[in-house]
Amino acid sequence: MTERQTNRTVEETADVVILGAGPAGLTLGNLLHAAGIDCVVLERADRAHVQTRARAGFLAANTVRVLDRHGLAAGLHRRGQPHGTCEFRTENGSFRLDYGALGRRELHTVYPQQDLVDDLLTHYLEAGGRIAFGTEAQSVRDAAGPNPTVDVRNAEGRPGRWRARYVAGCDGRHGAARRSLPAGTLRHQRDHGVSWLGLIAEAPPSLDAVGYAMHPDGFAGHMARTADLTRYYLQCERGTPADAWSEDRIWAALDRRMGAADHGPLHHGRIVQRSVIDLESDVIEPLRHGSLLLAGDAASLPAPAAAKGANLAVLEAELLAEALIDELSHGDSRALDRYSERCLQHIWRAQEFAHWMIQLLHSPLLNPTAGPAEESFFHESMRRSRVESLRTSRTHQDWFAENYVGI
Ligand code: RFL
């Protein structure tokens, strides 16, 4: 690394500049640093924010394998919980799928994303990895050539610049990497027309399974996080402000939709986090633009109905690390040339399954963008038939399990 002062801007260098300290950026940083590659992570937020941002919780078996391979899974083995059951609740009764005993017989590990990020960050720093918090990438320049630069601004607004051989855009959907893509880059996108109120409740899980309720009022979801915290989702009207529902209204809706009268009461508790999530998906294609490579949500946003985003982020980070190590340590660029194509295969698989889940869980009769009433009834009948097939067909259940945990 070198540092030099130009007129007003400090310019620093690293072989790989990684934008973003989420699961993608920190997995990549750990793998590159362990291989002796000169890299730095630039993160817009401060450390406390990064370590406490609650998002994902269901880690796929492959994610655990990747983290295990690189000695990054100690925390999740210590505190994560194996999980292999989901329960569907409908107007016509409920059924459970022990997906851990179906398909490839793989389990999820329930481990809050903020704990995973904390583990990755701690490991990276203890190994001597470099990270700059409070440093927001503004744009990536000259990515078509071999010496891209990243213009940054620190928390006080002071500008700076990093010069690199490669820039890894792991800064999410609204980051600088996406903003810096050349004109003509494809962004395939879909708005599923459905919104969720996403909640974290200070209450123990109420079921020993992921709960999916398909109720005439709309979808409700239950997902364990820890012994004291549970994530809930409530389908809500598009445009609903996150604070529009009182806690009483939230619990009344969750009780009704989850069928507390028939299945037993939910453990109520304080709502400690809430946000409104419009279910949208997109895919950038290709994921490489010269010296700029995208991974994680920056590469593709899968709607969070199938718990794929953090899992894709870790998988792509490993593929990208291997490709960059081949190129920078051995001068072999073949894996880097194939990086985009390899990731896109996994991304489209995850997108297809997330789309399937969204159609399974939401009645088009409640979705104003679903089309004319006649069409909605047709789609609603197909949706019910899909639920019935999932309830009764072992082949369908095996397919579900393979895709639900698979990545
Ligand atoms: P992240 O985690 O968003 O991290 C990006 C980081 O980049 C920083 N950043 C910048 N830094 C510098 N300069 C800039 N210009 C920057 N712009 C942004 C940000 O501060 C941040 O620290 O992206 P990454 O690493 O790609 O990881 C993606 C995952 O976070 C995401 O896909 C998952 O959370 C999706 N997701 C789930 N995925 C799963 O695999 N399993 C789940 O159970 C699951 N549940 C969820 C989810 C996403 C949810 N939300 C937020 C919609 C549940 C929810 C509610």
Side-chain angles (χ1 to χ4, degrees):
M1 188 207 29
T2 63
E3 184 176 310
R4 71 192 165 92
Q5 183 102 34
T6 60
N7 282 348
R8 287 171 50 243
T9 309
V10 177
E11 187 172 294
E12 299 176 81
T13 65
D15 279 348
V16 181
V17 172
I18 300 167
L19 311 183
L26 288 171
T27 303
L28 179 62
N30 271 294
L31 271 53
L32 292 180
H33 184 72
I37 304 287
D38 169 35
C39 63
V40 66
V41 178
L42 309 181
E43 167 58 49
R44 177 180 59 183
D46 62 25
R47 183 172 177 174
H49 179 83
V50 166
Q51 286 171 308
T52 52
R53 200 168 57 139
R55 301 181 88 188
F58 275 65
L59 301 182
N62 185 64
T63 304
V64 178
R65 280 194 291 272
V66 171
L67 297 171
D68 260 333
R69 258 200 296 276
H70 303 284
L72 298 170
L76 70 85
H77 285 307
R78 230 181 3 257
R79 299 192 302 277
Q81 294 295 323
H83 194 282
T85 307
C86 56
E87 181 169 316
F88 294 91
R89 295 181 176 178
T90 75
E91 281 175 280
N92 305 320
S94 68
F95 64 96
R96 286 166 84 96
L97 292 183
D98 287 323
Y99 60 83
L102 294 161
R104 294 202 189 99
R105 296 184 163 73
E106 289 182 328
L107 296 171
H108 279 119
T109 300
V110 181
Y111 193 56
Q113 179 167 328
Q114 64 273 29
D115 292 354
L116 174 65
V117 165
D118 190 22
D119 294 349
L120 292 171
L121 181 59
T122 303
H123 193 277
Y124 181 66
L125 290 172
E126 283 177 3
R130 281 190 300 154
I131 185 163
F133 289 107
T135 302
E136 179 166 8
Q138 304 288 305
S139 60
V140 182
R141 296 175 190 274
D142 301 326
N147 288 112
T149 56
V150 181
D151 288 337
V152 299
R153 209 168 270 282
N154 72 9
E156 289 81 47
R158 209 170 333 114
R161 179 168 298 151
W162 283 86
R163 190 170 292 280
R165 290 182 62 190
Y166 289 98
V167 176
C170 304
D171 51 347
R173 182 191 188 189
H174 302 293
R178 277 198 176 194
R179 285 201 303 275
S180 307
L181 294 171
T185 304
L186 296 175
R187 179 176 165 228
H188 311 288
Q189 58 184 321
R190 182 169 183 97
D191 181 346
H192 301 278
V194 175
S195 297
W196 287 354
L197 189 53
L199 306 157
I200 303 266
E202 212 169 51
S206 298
L207 280 99
D208 59 350
V210 177
Y212 295 115
M214 293 98 115
H215 188 270
D217 290 355
F219 165 73
H222 162 286
M223 276 131 224
R225 279 297 185 262
T226 65
D228 312 310
L229 293 176
T230 307
R231 187 175 263 298
Y232 284 100
Y233 294 112
L234 274 172
Q235 186 178 352
C236 62
E237 265 181 48
R238 180 62 57 95
T240 303
D243 57 2
W245 290 36
S246 69
E247 294 208 4
D248 286 348
R249 183 177 172 196
I250 287 169
W251 286 113
L254 284 169
D255 281 338
R256 195 168 50 253
R257 295 187 195 181
M258 297 291 302
D262 298 326
H263 296 280
L266 301 176
H267 297 300
H268 290 197
R270 207 160 55 91
I271 303 294
V272 290
Q273 202 189 79
R274 54 167 83 201
S275 61
V276 171
I277 305 151
D278 294 333
L279 266 57
E280 293 171 331
S281 307
D282 70 15
V283 181
I284 300 292
E285 195 167 357
L287 304 182
R288 177 180 180 184
H289 296 272
S291 313
L292 172 62
L293 297 118
L294 306 184
D297 280 7
S300 165
L301 181 83
K308 296 297 179 204
N311 292 301
L312 280 172
V314 170
L315 177 140
E316 291 157 16
E318 187 189 44
L319 290 176
L320 183 52
E322 287 169 355
L324 286 169
I325 293 165
D326 276 0
E327 156 72 1
L328 291 167
S329 300
H330 312 294
D332 180 350
S333 61
R334 284 174 300 176
L336 211 48
D337 293 340
R338 287 201 314 273
Y339 169 72
S340 177
E341 192 192 330
R342 287 187 70 190
C343 289
L344 284 166
Q345 284 173 11
H346 297 287
I347 286 172
W348 282 115
R349 189 69 230 111
Q351 288 286 359
E352 192 277 334
F353 184 68
H355 185 74
W356 182 92
M357 281 291 280
I358 290 167
Q359 293 194 320
L360 181 84
L361 299 176
H362 301 94
S363 169
L365 300 176
L366 293 170
N367 179 357
T369 66
E374 247 173 72
E375 230 174 81
S376 294
F377 276 106
F378 188 87
H379 283 287
E380 172 59 6
S381 303
M382 290 202 295
R383 189 189 70 79
R384 289 180 185 200
S385 170
R386 181 179 286 187
V387 173
E388 190 54 15
S389 169
L390 190 59
R391 189 177 73 79
T392 55
S393 159
R394 169 68 197 246
T395 307
H396 206 166
Q397 293 168 0
D398 281 329
W399 175 88
F400 171 81
E402 190 175 316
N403 284 276
Y404 192 56
V405 198
I407 195 84

CSV table of all heavy atoms in Angstrom, one decimal, residues 30-63:
chain,number,residue,atom,x,y,z
A,30,ASN,N,-11.8,-11.5,3.9
A,30,ASN,CA,-11.1,-12.5,4.7
A,30,ASN,C,-10.3,-13.5,3.8
A,30,ASN,O,-9.2,-13.8,4.1
A,30,ASN,CB,-12.1,-13.3,5.5
A,30,ASN,CG,-12.4,-12.7,6.9
A,30,ASN,OD1,-11.5,-12.7,7.7
A,30,ASN,ND2,-13.6,-12.2,7.1
A,31,LEU,N,-11.0,-13.9,2.7
A,31,LEU,CA,-10.3,-14.9,1.8
A,31,LEU,C,-9.1,-14.3,1.1
A,31,LEU,O,-8.1,-14.9,1.0
A,31,LEU,CB,-11.3,-15.4,0.8
A,31,LEU,CG,-12.1,-16.7,1.3
A,31,LEU,CD1,-12.8,-16.5,2.6
A,31,LEU,CD2,-13.1,-17.1,0.2
A,32,LEU,N,-9.2,-13.0,0.6
A,32,LEU,CA,-8.1,-12.4,-0.1
A,32,LEU,C,-7.0,-12.2,0.9
A,32,LEU,O,-5.8,-12.4,0.6
A,32,LEU,CB,-8.6,-11.1,-0.7
A,32,LEU,CG,-9.5,-11.2,-1.9
A,32,LEU,CD1,-9.9,-9.8,-2.4
A,32,LEU,CD2,-9.0,-12.1,-3.0
A,33,HIS,N,-7.3,-11.6,2.1
A,33,HIS,CA,-6.2,-11.3,3.0
A,33,HIS,C,-5.5,-12.6,3.5
A,33,HIS,O,-4.2,-12.6,3.5
A,33,HIS,CB,-6.8,-10.6,4.3
A,33,HIS,CG,-5.8,-10.2,5.3
A,33,HIS,ND1,-5.0,-9.1,5.0
A,33,HIS,CD2,-5.5,-10.7,6.5
A,33,HIS,CE1,-4.2,-9.0,6.1
A,33,HIS,NE2,-4.4,-9.9,6.9
A,34,ALA,N,-6.2,-13.7,3.7
A,34,ALA,CA,-5.6,-15.0,4.1
A,34,ALA,C,-4.7,-15.5,3.0
A,34,ALA,O,-3.7,-16.2,3.3
A,34,ALA,CB,-6.7,-16.0,4.4
A,35,ALA,N,-5.0,-15.1,1.7
A,35,ALA,CA,-4.1,-15.6,0.6
A,35,ALA,C,-3.0,-14.6,0.3
A,35,ALA,O,-2.3,-14.7,-0.7
A,35,ALA,CB,-5.0,-15.7,-0.6
A,36,GLY,N,-2.9,-13.5,1.2
A,36,GLY,CA,-1.8,-12.6,1.0
A,36,GLY,C,-2.0,-11.5,-0.1
A,36,GLY,O,-1.1,-10.9,-0.5
A,37,ILE,N,-3.2,-11.4,-0.5
A,37,ILE,CA,-3.6,-10.3,-1.5
A,37,ILE,C,-3.7,-9.0,-0.7
A,37,ILE,O,-4.4,-8.9,0.3
A,37,ILE,CB,-4.9,-10.6,-2.2
A,37,ILE,CG1,-4.8,-12.0,-2.9
A,37,ILE,CG2,-5.2,-9.5,-3.2
A,37,ILE,CD1,-3.9,-12.1,-4.1
A,38,ASP,N,-3.1,-7.9,-1.3
A,38,ASP,CA,-3.2,-6.6,-0.7
A,38,ASP,C,-4.7,-6.0,-1.0
A,38,ASP,O,-5.0,-5.8,-2.1
A,38,ASP,CB,-2.2,-5.7,-1.4
A,38,ASP,CG,-2.3,-4.3,-1.0
A,38,ASP,OD1,-2.7,-3.9,0.1
A,38,ASP,OD2,-2.0,-3.4,-1.9
A,39,CYS,N,-5.5,-5.9,0.1
A,39,CYS,CA,-6.8,-5.5,-0.1
A,39,CYS,C,-7.3,-4.6,1.0
A,39,CYS,O,-6.7,-4.5,2.1
A,39,CYS,CB,-7.8,-6.7,-0.3
A,39,CYS,SG,-7.9,-7.7,1.2
A,40,VAL,N,-8.3,-3.8,0.7
A,40,VAL,CA,-8.9,-2.9,1.8
A,40,VAL,C,-10.4,-3.0,1.6
A,40,VAL,O,-10.9,-3.1,0.5
A,40,VAL,CB,-8.4,-1.5,1.6
A,40,VAL,CG1,-8.8,-0.8,0.3
A,40,VAL,CG2,-8.8,-0.6,2.8
A,41,VAL,N,-11.2,-2.9,2.7
A,41,VAL,CA,-12.6,-2.8,2.6
A,41,VAL,C,-13.0,-1.3,3.0
A,41,VAL,O,-12.5,-0.8,4.0
A,41,VAL,CB,-13.3,-3.7,3.7
A,41,VAL,CG1,-14.8,-3.6,3.6
A,41,VAL,CG2,-12.9,-5.2,3.4
A,42,LEU,N,-13.8,-0.7,2.1
A,42,LEU,CA,-14.3,0.7,2.4
A,42,LEU,C,-15.8,0.6,2.8
A,42,LEU,O,-16.6,0.0,2.0
A,42,LEU,CB,-14.2,1.5,1.2
A,42,LEU,CG,-12.8,1.6,0.5
A,42,LEU,CD1,-12.8,2.5,-0.7
A,42,LEU,CD2,-11.7,2.0,1.5
A,43,GLU,N,-16.2,1.1,3.9
A,43,GLU,CA,-17.5,0.9,4.4
A,43,GLU,C,-18.1,2.3,4.8
A,43,GLU,O,-17.5,3.0,5.6
A,43,GLU,CB,-17.6,0.0,5.6
A,43,GLU,CG,-18.9,0.0,6.4
A,43,GLU,CD,-20.1,-0.4,5.6
A,43,GLU,OE1,-20.1,-1.4,4.9
A,43,GLU,OE2,-21.1,0.4,5.7
A,44,ARG,N,-19.3,2.6,4.2
A,44,ARG,CA,-19.9,3.9,4.5
A,44,ARG,C,-20.3,4.1,5.9
A,44,ARG,O,-20.1,5.2,6.5
A,44,ARG,CB,-21.2,3.9,3.6
A,44,ARG,CG,-22.0,5.1,3.7
A,44,ARG,CD,-23.2,5.0,2.8
A,44,ARG,NE,-24.0,3.9,3.2
A,44,ARG,CZ,-25.1,3.5,2.5
A,44,ARG,NH1,-25.5,4.2,1.4
A,44,ARG,NH2,-25.8,2.5,2.9
A,45,ALA,N,-20.8,3.0,6.6
A,45,ALA,CA,-21.4,3.2,7.9
A,45,ALA,C,-20.2,3.1,9.0
A,45,ALA,O,-19.1,2.7,8.6
A,45,ALA,CB,-22.4,2.1,8.2
A,46,ASP,N,-20.6,3.3,10.2
A,46,ASP,CA,-19.6,3.1,11.3
A,46,ASP,C,-19.7,1.6,11.7
A,46,ASP,O,-20.6,0.9,11.4
A,46,ASP,CB,-19.8,4.1,12.4
A,46,ASP,CG,-21.2,4.0,13.1
A,46,ASP,OD1,-21.7,2.9,13.1
A,46,ASP,OD2,-21.6,4.9,13.7
A,47,ARG,N,-18.7,1.3,12.6
A,47,ARG,CA,-18.6,-0.1,12.9
A,47,ARG,C,-19.8,-0.6,13.7
A,47,ARG,O,-20.3,-1.7,13.4
A,47,ARG,CB,-17.3,-0.3,13.8
A,47,ARG,CG,-17.1,-1.8,14.2
A,47,ARG,CD,-15.7,-1.9,14.8
A,47,ARG,NE,-15.6,-3.3,15.2
A,47,ARG,CZ,-14.5,-3.8,15.7
A,47,ARG,NH1,-13.4,-3.1,15.9
A,47,ARG,NH2,-14.4,-5.1,16.0
A,48,ALA,N,-20.4,0.2,14.6
A,48,ALA,CA,-21.5,-0.2,15.4
A,48,ALA,C,-22.7,-0.5,14.5
A,48,ALA,O,-23.4,-1.5,14.8
A,48,ALA,CB,-21.8,0.8,16.5
A,49,HIS,N,-22.9,0.3,13.5
A,49,HIS,CA,-24.1,0.1,12.6
A,49,HIS,C,-23.9,-1.2,11.9
A,49,HIS,O,-24.9,-2.0,11.8
A,49,HIS,CB,-24.1,1.3,11.7
A,49,HIS,CG,-25.3,1.2,10.7
A,49,HIS,ND1,-26.5,1.5,11.0
A,49,HIS,CD2,-25.3,0.7,9.4
A,49,HIS,CE1,-27.3,1.3,10.0
A,49,HIS,NE2,-26.6,0.8,9.0
A,50,VAL,N,-22.7,-1.5,11.4
A,50,VAL,CA,-22.5,-2.7,10.6
A,50,VAL,C,-22.8,-4.0,11.5
A,50,VAL,O,-23.3,-5.0,11.0
A,50,VAL,CB,-21.1,-2.7,10.1
A,50,VAL,CG1,-20.7,-4.1,9.5
A,50,VAL,CG2,-20.9,-1.7,9.0
A,51,GLN,N,-22.3,-3.9,12.7
A,51,GLN,CA,-22.4,-5.1,13.6
A,51,GLN,C,-23.8,-5.3,14.2
A,51,GLN,O,-24.0,-6.3,14.9
A,51,GLN,CB,-21.4,-4.9,14.8
A,51,GLN,CG,-20.0,-5.1,14.3
A,51,GLN,CD,-19.0,-4.8,15.4
A,51,GLN,OE1,-19.0,-3.7,15.9
A,51,GLN,NE2,-18.1,-5.7,15.6
A,52,THR,N,-24.7,-4.3,14.0
A,52,THR,CA,-26.0,-4.5,14.7
A,52,THR,C,-27.2,-4.5,13.7
A,52,THR,O,-28.3,-4.6,14.1
A,52,THR,CB,-26.3,-3.4,15.7
A,52,THR,OG1,-26.1,-2.1,15.0
A,52,THR,CG2,-25.4,-3.5,16.9
A,53,ARG,N,-26.9,-4.4,12.4
A,53,ARG,CA,-28.0,-4.3,11.4
A,53,ARG,C,-28.6,-5.7,11.2
A,53,ARG,O,-28.1,-6.6,10.6
A,53,ARG,CB,-27.4,-3.8,10.1
A,53,ARG,CG,-28.5,-3.2,9.2
A,53,ARG,CD,-27.8,-2.5,8.0
A,53,ARG,NE,-26.9,-3.3,7.3
A,53,ARG,CZ,-26.8,-3.3,6.0
A,53,ARG,NH1,-27.6,-2.5,5.2
A,53,ARG,NH2,-26.0,-4.1,5.3
A,54,ALA,N,-29.9,-5.9,11.7
A,54,ALA,CA,-30.5,-7.2,11.6
A,54,ALA,C,-31.2,-7.4,10.2
A,54,ALA,O,-31.9,-6.5,9.8
A,54,ALA,CB,-31.6,-7.3,12.7
A,55,ARG,N,-30.9,-8.4,9.6
A,55,ARG,CA,-31.5,-8.7,8.3
A,55,ARG,C,-31.7,-10.2,8.2
A,55,ARG,O,-32.7,-10.7,8.7
A,55,ARG,CB,-30.6,-8.2,7.1
A,55,ARG,CG,-30.3,-6.7,7.2
A,55,ARG,CD,-29.5,-6.3,6.1
A,55,ARG,NE,-30.3,-5.9,4.9
A,55,ARG,CZ,-29.8,-5.6,3.7
A,55,ARG,NH1,-28.5,-5.6,3.5
A,55,ARG,NH2,-30.6,-5.3,2.7
A,56,ALA,N,-30.8,-11.0,7.5
A,56,ALA,CA,-31.0,-12.4,7.3
A,56,ALA,C,-30.9,-13.2,8.6
A,56,ALA,O,-30.4,-12.7,9.6
A,56,ALA,CB,-30.0,-12.9,6.3
A,57,GLY,N,-31.3,-14.5,8.5
A,57,GLY,CA,-31.1,-15.4,9.6
A,57,GLY,C,-31.0,-16.8,9.2
A,57,GLY,O,-30.4,-17.6,10.0
A,58,PHE,N,-31.4,-17.2,8.0
A,58,PHE,CA,-31.4,-18.6,7.6
A,58,PHE,C,-30.3,-18.8,6.6
A,58,PHE,O,-30.3,-18.3,5.5
A,58,PHE,CB,-32.8,-18.9,7.0
A,58,PHE,CG,-33.8,-19.3,8.0
A,58,PHE,CD1,-34.2,-18.4,8.9
A,58,PHE,CD2,-34.2,-20.6,8.1
A,58,PHE,CE1,-35.1,-18.8,9.9
A,58,PHE,CE2,-35.1,-21.0,9.1
A,58,PHE,CZ,-35.6,-20.1,10.0
A,59,LEU,N,-29.2,-19.5,7.1
A,59,LEU,CA,-28.1,-19.8,6.3
A,59,LEU,C,-28.2,-21.2,5.7
A,59,LEU,O,-28.4,-22.1,6.4
A,59,LEU,CB,-26.8,-19.6,7.2
A,59,LEU,CG,-26.6,-18.3,7.8
A,59,LEU,CD1,-25.3,-18.2,8.6
A,59,LEU,CD2,-26.6,-17.1,6.8
A,60,ALA,N,-27.9,-21.2,4.4
A,60,ALA,CA,-28.0,-22.5,3.7
A,60,ALA,C,-26.8,-23.4,4.1
A,60,ALA,O,-25.8,-22.9,4.5
A,60,ALA,CB,-28.0,-22.3,2.2
A,61,ALA,N,-27.0,-24.7,3.8
A,61,ALA,CA,-25.9,-25.7,4.1
A,61,ALA,C,-24.6,-25.3,3.3
A,61,ALA,O,-23.5,-25.4,3.9
A,61,ALA,CB,-26.3,-27.1,3.8
A,62,ASN,N,-24.8,-24.8,2.1
A,62,ASN,CA,-23.6,-24.5,1.3
A,62,ASN,C,-22.8,-23.3,1.9
A,62,ASN,O,-21.6,-23.2,1.9
A,62,ASN,CB,-23.9,-24.2,-0.1
A,62,ASN,CG,-22.7,-24.0,-1.0
A,62,ASN,OD1,-21.9,-24.9,-1.1
A,62,ASN,ND2,-22.5,-22.7,-1.4
A,63,THR,N,-23.6,-22.4,2.5
A,63,THR,CA,-23.0,-21.2,3.1
A,63,THR,C,-22.1,-21.7,4.3
A,63,THR,O,-21.0,-21.2,4.5
A,63,THR,CB,-24.1,-20.2,3.6
A,63,THR,OG1,-24.9,-19.9,2.5
A,63,THR,CG2,-23.5,-19.0,4.2
